[in-house]
């Protein structure tokens, strides 16, 4: 099946056309500055290798989708003769609250529930709704499937997802841990289970999705037992610009000392913290690693080393904690921008973990960058297998969409 995977943001829309029979991405692209001056589309046809980038007015997501349809069916840049060759659309949706524990066909009832998710992730949910409406306008009648970042984590038990706040806030506002990056954790844990060559039910895997946003999950028997992100994607480990877990009492303390509003503190925690907050100059791990490699004479060396070591420390703690709640550990997976590419971060995390059964193969680890497939980075004698596995959230979305449409 040819599935159009759509990731709609408030002013952007990314897409991929995936053939689920072969897993081949036939075309992909991005529409940017939707609803603004200078909106543009960048489209790549990956079979022929043709590409186009041009400014074109897009007042809303429906205009953007119409342009996507134009290029997907274009004689030079397209890869299908007409839209009948595309069977369905799969949407990435950031927050499904407690309503959605799996991917689902879009219906009126589903849209009503998605409206309620605006409470949890207002900007994202509004953008997703615009993307869905844009597809309805540009491709009326085409089945649409919603795939949620939160769904894979819905297997957590209350002891893992409840916060020890007055219970009424859970009942009134749905205040609980939801977890994010679910499609990525699901994809890499399933790939890892295949590599372990034992039934999924018997596997105990820690998945470390480390990119600009980062989350770690404990996946036992194919089900999430715990994950580091929480009610929002601010929780967990240190990230590019997000602080991750801090003492919650710091929020009122900062409001008092700095005369800030709650919204201002929230902005600091989301946009000015993490790597950026500690180093004061960059949220990009490549910049941090560059400064560390340059050595102590580099003015940013100390802070960059500190920022990277904070993350290392948190990852080690998290892997140990998740091994404890799973009562064992078969494998650790590193994925996403940093997890797939930063051999140095992986080494920092995996050394001195022999007690837990982790033995890093330093040479294999060094080689495992810009991955074209899974790479084993533990020694053959390591009790715990450690892998770097490229994530593929779009493929998860395409496969779920195809499976749901096939079952109709
Ligand atoms: P993501 O959010 O998954 O796209 O990941 C973005 C992060 O991955 C940024 O911090 C990048 O600096 C980081 N990244 C990408 N390539 C590399 C690399 N070769 N080495 C270290 N970090 C990388």
């Amino acid at each position: 099946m040819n599935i159009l995977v759509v990731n709609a943001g408030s002013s952007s829309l990314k897409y991929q056309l995936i053939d689920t029979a072969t897993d081949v991405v036939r075309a992909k692209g991005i529409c940017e500055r939707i609803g603004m001056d200078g909106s543009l589309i960048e489209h790549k046809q990956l079979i022929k290798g043709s590409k186009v980038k041009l400014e074109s007015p897009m007042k809303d997501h429906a205009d953007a989708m119409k342009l996507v349809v134009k290029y997907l069916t274009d004689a030079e840049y397209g890869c299908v003769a007409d839209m009948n060759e595309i069977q369905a659309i799969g949407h990435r949706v950031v927050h499904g609250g407690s309503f959605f524990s799996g991917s689902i066909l879009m219906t009126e009832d589903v849209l009503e529930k998605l409206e309620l998710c605006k409470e949890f992730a207002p900007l994202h949910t509004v953008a997703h709704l615009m993307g869905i409406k844009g597809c309805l306008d540009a491709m009326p009648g085409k089945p649409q499937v919603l795939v949620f970042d939160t769904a894979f984590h819905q297997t957590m038990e209350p002891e893992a997802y409840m916060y020890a706040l007055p219970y009424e806030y859970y009942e009134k506002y749905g205040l609980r841990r939801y977890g994010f990056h679910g499609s990525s954790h699901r994809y890499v844990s399933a790939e890892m289970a295949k590599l372990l060559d034992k039934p999924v039910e018997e596997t105990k895997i820690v998945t470390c999705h480390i990119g600009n946003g980062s989350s770690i999950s404990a996946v036992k028997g194919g089900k999430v037992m715990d994950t580091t992100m929480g009610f929002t994607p601010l929780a967990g480990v240190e990230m590019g610009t997000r602080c991750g877990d801090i003492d919650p009492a710091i929020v009122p303390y900062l409001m008092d000392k700095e005369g800030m509003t709650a919204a201002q503190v929230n902005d600091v925690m989301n946009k000015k913290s993490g790597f950026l907050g500690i180093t004061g100059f960059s949220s990009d791990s490549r910049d941090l690693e560059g400064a560390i490699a340059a050595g102590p004479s580099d003015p940013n060396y100390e802070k960059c080393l500190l920022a990277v070591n904070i993350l290392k420390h948190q990852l080690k703690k998290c892997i140990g904690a998740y091994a404890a709640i799973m009562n064992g550990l078969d494998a650790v997976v590193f994925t996403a921008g940093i997890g797939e590419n930063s051999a140095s971060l992986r080494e920092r995390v995996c050394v001195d973990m022999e007690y837990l059964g982790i033995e890093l193969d330093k040479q294999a680890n060094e080689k495992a960058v810009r991955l074209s497939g899974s790479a084993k980075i533990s020694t053959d004698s390591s009790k715990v297998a450690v892998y770097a596995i490229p994530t593929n959230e779009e493929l998860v979305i395409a496969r779920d969409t195809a499976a749901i449409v096939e079952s109709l």
Side-chain angles (χ1 to χ4, degrees):
M1 268 191 191
N2 283 321
I3 304 293
L4 181 59
V5 175
V6 172
N7 185 352
S10 47
S11 65
S12 71
L13 187 150
K14 290 189 207 140
Y15 61 93
Q16 288 194 4
L17 185 69
I18 299 181
D19 178 353
T20 53
T22 56
D23 291 348
V24 166
V25 181
R26 301 181 65 185
K28 66 179 189 179
I30 180 165
C31 301
E32 288 178 286
R33 299 182 60 81
I34 300 169
M36 302 178 205
D37 285 344
S39 24
L40 59 118
I41 181 167
E42 194 173 351
H43 172 90
K44 289 184 190 149
Q45 207 283 26
L46 296 161
I47 309 295
K48 288 190 278 192
S50 54
K51 55 183 172 185
V52 58
K53 180 175 181 177
L54 84 168
E55 274 196 28
S56 186
M58 290 173 243
K59 69 175 179 319
D60 54 23
H61 288 62
D63 278 356
M65 280 316 306
K66 282 174 195 153
L67 214 53
V68 172
V69 168
K70 172 174 151 32
Y71 282 107
L72 286 173
T73 53
D74 185 85
E76 190 177 351
Y77 302 110
C79 50
V80 291
D82 61 51
M83 288 307 286
N84 291 327
E85 288 184 28
I86 297 178
Q87 281 74 29
I89 303 153
H91 291 271
R92 176 195 177 219
V93 181
V94 166
H95 214 310
S98 297
F99 301 113
F100 303 107
S101 56
S103 304
I104 194 161
L105 185 72
M106 193 269 298
T107 60
E108 280 301 315
D109 182 48
V110 165
L111 282 187
E112 273 172 32
K113 289 201 179 106
L114 187 58
E115 283 280 343
L116 299 175
C117 295
K118 275 190 202 164
E119 281 286 322
F120 306 122
L123 298 179
H124 282 114
T125 309
V126 167
H128 299 324
L129 286 163
M130 290 194 292
I132 294 164
K133 167 129 193 340
C135 289
L136 273 173
D137 284 359
M139 293 168 269
K142 195 71 71 191
Q144 301 194 48
V145 168
L146 312 188
V147 182
F148 302 89
D149 273 12
T150 45
F152 187 49
H153 301 297
Q154 282 287 308
T155 51
M156 281 186 288
E157 296 289 340
E159 63 191 33
Y161 70 68
M162 285 302 292
Y163 295 122
L165 285 164
Y167 198 82
E168 64 182 282
Y169 297 140
Y170 167 64
E171 293 174 312
K172 270 208 274 194
Y173 307 120
L175 264 188
R176 51 158 286 184
R177 181 188 306 281
Y178 290 102
F180 298 87
H181 297 135
S183 298
S184 176
H185 290 289
R186 184 172 142 206
Y187 179 79
V188 296
S189 61
E191 289 295 303
M192 189 63 241
K194 279 189 233 158
L195 290 162
L196 284 172
D197 203 20
K198 57 175 175 171
V200 172
E201 296 71 34
E202 292 170 21
T203 55
K204 296 169 180 175
I205 302 170
V206 171
T207 48
C208 306
H209 177 114
I210 315 171
N212 219 354
S214 303
S215 66
I216 324 304
S217 293
V219 188
K220 185 179 183 187
K223 296 197 168 108
V224 174
M225 281 195 79
D226 206 346
T227 190
T228 55
M229 282 183 168
F231 180 63
T232 72
L234 178 58
V237 297
E238 179 192 29
M239 305 177 221
T241 62
R242 282 172 258 172
C243 59
D245 291 345
I246 58 168
D247 180 341
I250 290 171
V251 175
Y253 185 86
L254 269 183
M255 288 170 71
D256 187 32
K257 290 282 176 195
E258 295 278 317
M260 289 197 274
T261 61
Q264 286 170 324
V265 179
N266 200 36
D267 194 61
V268 168
M269 295 189 298
N270 273 290
K271 299 189 184 144
K272 297 177 184 147
S273 301
F275 288 167
L276 179 64
I278 294 286
T279 65
F281 89 105
S282 179
S283 63
D284 191 312
S285 79
R286 282 166 292 201
D287 294 338
L288 276 60
E289 289 185 7
I292 295 168
S297 61
D298 188 294
N300 293 310
Y301 173 82
E302 293 286 342
K303 296 263 178 69
C304 289
L305 192 58
L306 175 62
V308 168
N309 278 337
I310 291 172
L311 178 61
K312 169 209 73 173
H313 184 80
Q314 293 174 337
L315 286 170
K316 277 178 177 284
K317 268 205 306 198
C318 189
I319 293 168
Y322 284 176
I325 59 162
M326 291 193 291
N327 191 19
L329 183 64
D330 296 316
V332 175
V333 183
F334 289 92
T335 194
I338 301 175
E340 291 169 29
N341 291 299
S342 175
S344 70
L345 191 266
R346 293 188 306 238
E347 181 172 336
R348 282 177 208 278
V349 174
C350 293
V351 295
D352 300 329
M353 294 277 266
E354 294 82 9
Y355 173 77
L356 213 58
I358 293 176
E359 231 178 68
L360 187 75
D361 179 335
K362 290 192 182 176
Q363 275 183 337
N365 182 46
E366 286 297 330
K367 279 195 219 136
V369 287
R370 287 175 288 282
L371 306 171
S372 54
S374 308
K376 184 176 167 206
I377 57 171
S378 50
T379 62
D380 287 342
S381 57
S382 180
K383 282 201 209 102
V384 172
V386 186
Y387 274 75
I389 301 181
T391 195
N392 198 337
E393 292 157 274
E394 292 78 13
L395 188 58
V396 170
I397 296 170
R399 284 177 179 166
D400 272 17
T401 304
I404 287 177
V405 171
E406 260 161 25
S407 70
L408 290 179

Short mmCIF file of all heavy atoms in Angstrom, two decimals, residues 279-331:
data_model
loop_
_atom_site.label_atom_id
_atom_site.label_comp_id
_atom_site.label_asym_id
_atom_site.label_seq_id
_atom_site.Cartn_x
_atom_site.Cartn_y
_atom_site.Cartn_z
N THR A 279 25.40 25.37 29.10
CA THR A 279 26.58 25.87 28.37
C THR A 279 26.49 27.37 28.08
O THR A 279 27.51 28.02 27.89
CB THR A 279 26.75 25.16 27.01
OG1 THR A 279 25.64 25.50 26.17
CG2 THR A 279 26.82 23.65 27.16
N GLY A 280 25.25 27.86 28.01
CA GLY A 280 25.05 29.27 27.68
C GLY A 280 25.29 29.59 26.22
O GLY A 280 25.20 30.74 25.81
N PHE A 281 25.58 28.57 25.39
CA PHE A 281 25.79 28.92 23.98
C PHE A 281 25.18 27.97 22.95
O PHE A 281 24.96 28.38 21.82
CB PHE A 281 27.29 29.14 23.69
CG PHE A 281 28.04 27.90 23.28
CD1 PHE A 281 28.41 27.70 21.95
CD2 PHE A 281 28.38 26.94 24.21
CE1 PHE A 281 29.11 26.56 21.57
CE2 PHE A 281 29.08 25.80 23.84
CZ PHE A 281 29.45 25.61 22.52
N SER A 282 24.88 26.73 23.30
CA SER A 282 24.33 25.86 22.26
C SER A 282 23.47 24.74 22.83
O SER A 282 23.74 24.19 23.90
CB SER A 282 25.45 25.25 21.43
OG SER A 282 24.92 24.38 20.45
N SER A 283 22.42 24.38 22.05
CA SER A 283 21.57 23.24 22.41
C SER A 283 21.95 22.02 21.57
O SER A 283 21.35 20.97 21.70
CB SER A 283 20.11 23.60 22.14
OG SER A 283 19.92 23.84 20.75
N ASP A 284 22.94 22.18 20.69
CA ASP A 284 23.28 21.13 19.74
C ASP A 284 24.46 20.31 20.27
O ASP A 284 25.55 20.85 20.50
CB ASP A 284 23.65 21.77 18.39
CG ASP A 284 23.75 20.73 17.28
OD1 ASP A 284 24.42 19.69 17.50
OD2 ASP A 284 23.19 20.95 16.21
N SER A 285 24.25 19.01 20.42
CA SER A 285 25.28 18.18 21.05
C SER A 285 26.59 18.18 20.25
O SER A 285 27.66 17.98 20.81
CB SER A 285 24.79 16.75 21.26
OG SER A 285 24.85 16.03 20.08
N ARG A 286 26.50 18.44 18.94
CA ARG A 286 27.74 18.48 18.14
C ARG A 286 28.62 19.64 18.57
O ARG A 286 29.86 19.50 18.62
CB ARG A 286 27.42 18.60 16.64
CG ARG A 286 27.00 17.27 16.04
CD ARG A 286 26.39 17.46 14.70
NE ARG A 286 25.10 18.15 14.80
CZ ARG A 286 24.15 18.10 13.88
NH1 ARG A 286 24.35 17.44 12.78
NH2 ARG A 286 23.01 18.74 14.05
N ASP A 287 28.01 20.78 18.91
CA ASP A 287 28.80 21.93 19.39
C ASP A 287 29.46 21.59 20.73
O ASP A 287 30.61 21.94 20.97
CB ASP A 287 27.90 23.16 19.58
CG ASP A 287 27.35 23.67 18.26
OD1 ASP A 287 27.96 23.36 17.22
OD2 ASP A 287 26.32 24.36 18.28
N LEU A 288 28.70 20.89 21.58
CA LEU A 288 29.24 20.54 22.90
C LEU A 288 30.42 19.58 22.74
O LEU A 288 31.47 19.76 23.36
CB LEU A 288 28.16 19.88 23.77
CG LEU A 288 27.22 20.84 24.53
CD1 LEU A 288 26.45 21.76 23.63
CD2 LEU A 288 26.26 20.06 25.42
N GLU A 289 30.23 18.60 21.86
CA GLU A 289 31.31 17.62 21.67
C GLU A 289 32.53 18.27 21.02
O GLU A 289 33.66 17.89 21.32
CB GLU A 289 30.80 16.44 20.84
CG GLU A 289 29.83 15.59 21.66
CD GLU A 289 29.37 14.33 20.97
OE1 GLU A 289 29.88 14.01 19.88
OE2 GLU A 289 28.49 13.66 21.54
N GLY A 290 32.28 19.26 20.16
CA GLY A 290 33.39 19.98 19.53
C GLY A 290 34.22 20.70 20.58
O GLY A 290 35.46 20.64 20.57
N ALA A 291 33.55 21.36 21.51
CA ALA A 291 34.26 22.11 22.56
C ALA A 291 35.02 21.17 23.49
O ALA A 291 36.15 21.46 23.92
CB ALA A 291 33.27 22.96 23.36
N ILE A 292 34.41 20.01 23.77
CA ILE A 292 35.09 19.04 24.66
C ILE A 292 36.34 18.49 23.94
O ILE A 292 37.41 18.37 24.54
CB ILE A 292 34.13 17.90 25.06
CG1 ILE A 292 32.98 18.47 25.91
CG2 ILE A 292 34.86 16.79 25.82
CD1 ILE A 292 31.80 17.52 26.12
N ALA A 293 36.17 18.19 22.64
CA ALA A 293 37.30 17.65 21.87
C ALA A 293 38.44 18.67 21.79
O ALA A 293 39.63 18.31 21.77
CB ALA A 293 36.85 17.25 20.47
N ALA A 294 38.09 19.96 21.77
CA ALA A 294 39.13 21.01 21.67
C ALA A 294 39.97 21.08 22.94
O ALA A 294 41.09 21.60 22.93
CB ALA A 294 38.45 22.36 21.40
N GLY A 295 39.40 20.59 24.05
CA GLY A 295 40.19 20.51 25.29
C GLY A 295 40.02 21.71 26.21
O GLY A 295 39.34 22.69 25.87
N PRO A 296 40.68 21.66 27.40
CA PRO A 296 40.47 22.68 28.45
C PRO A 296 40.80 24.10 28.01
O PRO A 296 40.36 25.06 28.65
CB PRO A 296 41.42 22.23 29.57
CG PRO A 296 41.64 20.78 29.32
CD PRO A 296 41.54 20.57 27.84
N SER A 297 41.57 24.27 26.92
CA SER A 297 41.86 25.64 26.48
C SER A 297 40.64 26.30 25.84
O SER A 297 40.57 27.52 25.70
CB SER A 297 43.04 25.64 25.49
OG SER A 297 42.67 24.86 24.37
N ASP A 298 39.65 25.47 25.44
CA ASP A 298 38.43 26.05 24.83
C ASP A 298 37.60 26.70 25.94
O ASP A 298 37.34 26.08 26.98
CB ASP A 298 37.62 24.92 24.16
CG ASP A 298 36.45 25.47 23.34
OD1 ASP A 298 35.51 26.05 23.94
OD2 ASP A 298 36.49 25.32 22.11
N PRO A 299 37.18 27.97 25.74
CA PRO A 299 36.44 28.67 26.81
C PRO A 299 35.14 27.96 27.21
O PRO A 299 34.64 28.17 28.31
CB PRO A 299 36.16 30.05 26.21
CG PRO A 299 36.42 29.93 24.75
CD PRO A 299 37.38 28.81 24.54
N ASN A 300 34.59 27.14 26.31
CA ASN A 300 33.33 26.46 26.63
C ASN A 300 33.52 25.05 27.18
O ASN A 300 32.55 24.36 27.48
CB ASN A 300 32.45 26.40 25.38
CG ASN A 300 31.98 27.77 24.94
OD1 ASN A 300 31.46 28.52 25.76
ND2 ASN A 300 32.21 28.12 23.68
N TYR A 301 34.78 24.62 27.28
CA TYR A 301 35.08 23.22 27.64
C TYR A 301 34.39 22.76 28.93
O TYR A 301 33.66 21.77 28.93
CB TYR A 301 36.61 23.07 27.76
CG TYR A 301 37.06 21.74 28.27
CD1 TYR A 301 37.16 20.64 27.42
CD2 TYR A 301 37.39 21.57 29.62
CE1 TYR A 301 37.58 19.40 27.91
CE2 TYR A 301 37.82 20.35 30.11
CZ TYR A 301 37.91 19.26 29.25
OH TYR A 301 38.32 18.05 29.73
N GLU A 302 34.60 23.53 30.02
CA GLU A 302 34.09 23.08 31.34
C GLU A 302 32.57 22.91 31.33
O GLU A 302 32.05 21.89 31.78
CB GLU A 302 34.44 24.12 32.44
CG GLU A 302 35.92 24.25 32.73
CD GLU A 302 36.47 23.07 33.53
OE1 GLU A 302 35.65 22.34 34.13
OE2 GLU A 302 37.70 22.87 33.51
N LYS A 303 31.89 23.91 30.81
CA LYS A 303 30.42 23.89 30.84
C LYS A 303 29.88 22.79 29.92
O LYS A 303 28.88 22.14 30.23
CB LYS A 303 29.86 25.25 30.41
CG LYS A 303 30.22 26.40 31.34
CD LYS A 303 29.09 26.66 32.31
CE LYS A 303 29.38 27.76 33.30
NZ LYS A 303 29.43 29.09 32.72
N CYS A 304 30.55 22.61 28.77
CA CYS A 304 30.08 21.57 27.84
C CYS A 304 30.26 20.19 28.47
O CYS A 304 29.39 19.32 28.35
CB CYS A 304 30.82 21.66 26.50
SG CYS A 304 30.31 23.11 25.56
N LEU A 305 31.40 20.00 29.13
CA LEU A 305 31.65 18.72 29.78
C LEU A 305 30.61 18.49 30.88
O LEU A 305 30.08 17.38 31.04
CB LEU A 305 33.07 18.72 30.38
CG LEU A 305 33.60 17.37 30.84
CD1 LEU A 305 33.62 16.35 29.72
CD2 LEU A 305 35.01 17.53 31.42
N LEU A 306 30.30 19.54 31.62
CA LEU A 306 29.30 19.42 32.68
C LEU A 306 27.94 19.04 32.08
O LEU A 306 27.26 18.13 32.57
CB LEU A 306 29.19 20.75 33.44
CG LEU A 306 28.09 20.82 34.50
CD1 LEU A 306 28.31 19.80 35.61
CD2 LEU A 306 27.99 22.23 35.09
N ALA A 307 27.54 19.73 31.00
CA ALA A 307 26.22 19.47 30.39
C ALA A 307 26.12 18.01 29.93
O ALA A 307 25.11 17.34 30.15
CB ALA A 307 26.00 20.42 29.21
N VAL A 308 27.20 17.52 29.30
CA VAL A 308 27.19 16.15 28.80
C VAL A 308 27.23 15.16 29.97
O VAL A 308 26.55 14.12 29.95
CB VAL A 308 28.38 15.95 27.83
CG1 VAL A 308 28.59 14.49 27.51
CG2 VAL A 308 28.14 16.74 26.55
N ASN A 309 27.98 15.50 31.01
CA ASN A 309 28.07 14.59 32.16
C ASN A 309 26.78 14.53 32.96
O ASN A 309 26.47 13.51 33.56
CB ASN A 309 29.25 14.97 33.06
CG ASN A 309 30.56 14.40 32.51
OD1 ASN A 309 30.54 13.42 31.75
ND2 ASN A 309 31.67 15.01 32.86
N ILE A 310 26.03 15.62 32.97
CA ILE A 310 24.71 15.59 33.64
C ILE A 310 23.83 14.54 32.94
O ILE A 310 23.22 13.69 33.58
CB ILE A 310 24.03 16.98 33.61
CG1 ILE A 310 24.77 17.97 34.51
CG2 ILE A 310 22.56 16.87 34.02
CD1 ILE A 310 24.27 19.42 34.39
N LEU A 311 23.82 14.61 31.61
CA LEU A 311 23.00 13.65 30.85
C LEU A 311 23.50 12.23 31.08
O LEU A 311 22.70 11.31 31.30
CB LEU A 311 23.01 14.00 29.36
CG LEU A 311 22.22 13.05 28.46
CD1 LEU A 311 20.73 13.03 28.84
CD2 LEU A 311 22.35 13.44 26.98
N LYS A 312 24.82 12.04 31.04
CA LYS A 312 25.40 10.71 31.28
C LYS A 312 24.95 10.16 32.62
O LYS A 312 24.49 9.02 32.73
CB LYS A 312 26.93 10.81 31.24
CG LYS A 312 27.62 9.56 31.72
CD LYS A 312 28.99 9.81 32.34
CE LYS A 312 28.91 10.44 33.70
NZ LYS A 312 30.20 10.55 34.39
N HIS A 313 25.06 10.98 33.66
CA HIS A 313 24.71 10.57 35.01
C HIS A 313 23.23 10.16 35.07
O HIS A 313 22.88 9.12 35.65
CB HIS A 313 25.00 11.73 35.97
CG HIS A 313 24.77 11.44 37.40
ND1 HIS A 313 25.69 10.75 38.18
CD2 HIS A 313 23.72 11.71 38.22
CE1 HIS A 313 25.20 10.63 39.40
NE2 HIS A 313 24.02 11.20 39.45
N GLN A 314 22.39 10.96 34.45
CA GLN A 314 20.95 10.67 34.48
C GLN A 314 20.64 9.38 33.71
O GLN A 314 19.79 8.59 34.14
CB GLN A 314 20.16 11.84 33.86
CG GLN A 314 20.24 13.11 34.70
CD GLN A 314 19.60 14.30 34.02
OE1 GLN A 314 19.48 14.34 32.79
NE2 GLN A 314 19.21 15.29 34.81
N LEU A 315 21.33 9.16 32.60
CA LEU A 315 21.07 7.95 31.81
C LEU A 315 21.50 6.71 32.57
O LEU A 315 20.80 5.70 32.57
CB LEU A 315 21.79 8.04 30.45
CG LEU A 315 21.15 8.99 29.44
CD1 LEU A 315 22.06 9.19 28.24
CD2 LEU A 315 19.81 8.45 28.97
N LYS A 316 22.65 6.77 33.21
CA LYS A 316 23.11 5.62 34.01
C LYS A 316 22.09 5.30 35.12
O LYS A 316 21.73 4.15 35.33
CB LYS A 316 24.46 5.94 34.66
CG LYS A 316 25.67 5.72 33.76
CD LYS A 316 26.92 6.13 34.54
CE LYS A 316 28.17 5.88 33.75
NZ LYS A 316 28.56 4.47 33.71
N LYS A 317 21.64 6.34 35.81
CA LYS A 317 20.67 6.16 36.89
C LYS A 317 19.40 5.51 36.36
O LYS A 317 18.82 4.62 36.97
CB LYS A 317 20.30 7.52 37.49
CG LYS A 317 21.12 7.93 38.66
CD LYS A 317 20.41 8.91 39.60
CE LYS A 317 19.86 10.16 38.99
NZ LYS A 317 19.58 11.22 39.97
N CYS A 318 18.98 6.01 35.20
CA CYS A 318 17.72 5.57 34.64
C CYS A 318 17.80 4.10 34.19
O CYS A 318 16.89 3.31 34.45
CB CYS A 318 17.38 6.48 33.47
SG CYS A 318 15.77 6.22 32.86
N ILE A 319 18.92 3.75 33.55
CA ILE A 319 19.08 2.35 33.10
C ILE A 319 19.07 1.43 34.33
O ILE A 319 18.41 0.38 34.33
CB ILE A 319 20.38 2.20 32.27
CG1 ILE A 319 20.25 2.97 30.96
CG2 ILE A 319 20.68 0.71 32.00
CD1 ILE A 319 21.57 3.12 30.17
N GLY A 320 19.78 1.83 35.39
CA GLY A 320 19.81 1.02 36.62
C GLY A 320 18.42 0.90 37.23
O GLY A 320 18.00 -0.19 37.64
N ALA A 321 17.70 2.01 37.28
CA ALA A 321 16.36 2.00 37.89
C ALA A 321 15.42 1.12 37.07
O ALA A 321 14.63 0.35 37.62
CB ALA A 321 15.82 3.43 37.95
N TYR A 322 15.54 1.20 35.75
CA TYR A 322 14.62 0.43 34.91
C TYR A 322 14.97 -1.07 34.95
O TYR A 322 14.08 -1.92 34.87
CB TYR A 322 14.61 0.98 33.47
CG TYR A 322 13.82 2.28 33.34
CD1 TYR A 322 13.77 2.98 32.14
CD2 TYR A 322 13.12 2.81 34.42
CE1 TYR A 322 13.03 4.15 32.02
CE2 TYR A 322 12.39 3.98 34.32
CZ TYR A 322 12.35 4.66 33.11
OH TYR A 322 11.62 5.82 32.99
N ALA A 323 16.25 -1.39 35.10
CA ALA A 323 16.63 -2.80 35.29
C ALA A 323 16.00 -3.31 36.59
O ALA A 323 15.52 -4.45 36.67
CB ALA A 323 18.15 -2.94 35.34
N ALA A 324 15.97 -2.44 37.61
CA ALA A 324 15.39 -2.85 38.90
C ALA A 324 13.89 -3.11 38.79
O ALA A 324 13.41 -4.14 39.26
CB ALA A 324 15.66 -1.76 39.95
N ILE A 325 13.16 -2.22 38.11
CA ILE A 325 11.70 -2.45 38.06
C ILE A 325 11.33 -3.60 37.12
O ILE A 325 10.28 -4.21 37.26
CB ILE A 325 10.88 -1.19 37.70
CG1 ILE A 325 11.28 -0.62 36.35
CG2 ILE A 325 10.95 -0.15 38.81
CD1 ILE A 325 10.24 0.33 35.76
N MET A 326 12.23 -3.92 36.15
CA MET A 326 11.93 -5.05 35.25
C MET A 326 12.49 -6.36 35.82
O MET A 326 12.29 -7.41 35.26
CB MET A 326 12.53 -4.80 33.85
CG MET A 326 11.84 -3.68 33.09
SD MET A 326 12.27 -3.64 31.33
CE MET A 326 13.97 -3.12 31.38
N ASN A 327 13.21 -6.24 36.94
CA ASN A 327 13.88 -7.41 37.53
C ASN A 327 14.81 -8.07 36.52
O ASN A 327 14.84 -9.29 36.37
CB ASN A 327 12.84 -8.41 38.06
CG ASN A 327 13.49 -9.50 38.91
OD1 ASN A 327 14.61 -9.34 39.39
ND2 ASN A 327 12.80 -10.62 39.06
N GLY A 328 15.57 -7.24 35.81
CA GLY A 328 16.54 -7.79 34.85
C GLY A 328 16.67 -6.89 33.65
O GLY A 328 15.92 -5.91 33.50
N LEU A 329 17.64 -7.22 32.81
CA LEU A 329 17.90 -6.40 31.63
C LEU A 329 18.56 -7.27 30.55
O LEU A 329 19.57 -7.90 30.80
CB LEU A 329 18.86 -5.25 32.04
CG LEU A 329 19.22 -4.20 30.99
CD1 LEU A 329 17.97 -3.42 30.56
CD2 LEU A 329 20.26 -3.23 31.55
N ASP A 330 17.91 -7.31 29.38
CA ASP A 330 18.50 -8.06 28.25
C ASP A 330 19.24 -7.13 27.30
O ASP A 330 20.22 -7.54 26.68
CB ASP A 330 17.39 -8.75 27.43
CG ASP A 330 16.66 -9.79 28.23
OD1 ASP A 330 17.33 -10.56 28.93
OD2 ASP A 330 15.42 -9.81 28.18
N ALA A 331 18.72 -5.91 27.15
CA ALA A 331 19.31 -5.05 26.13
C ALA A 331 19.06 -3.57 26.42
O ALA A 331 18.07 -3.21 27.05
CB ALA A 331 18.72 -5.39 24.76
#
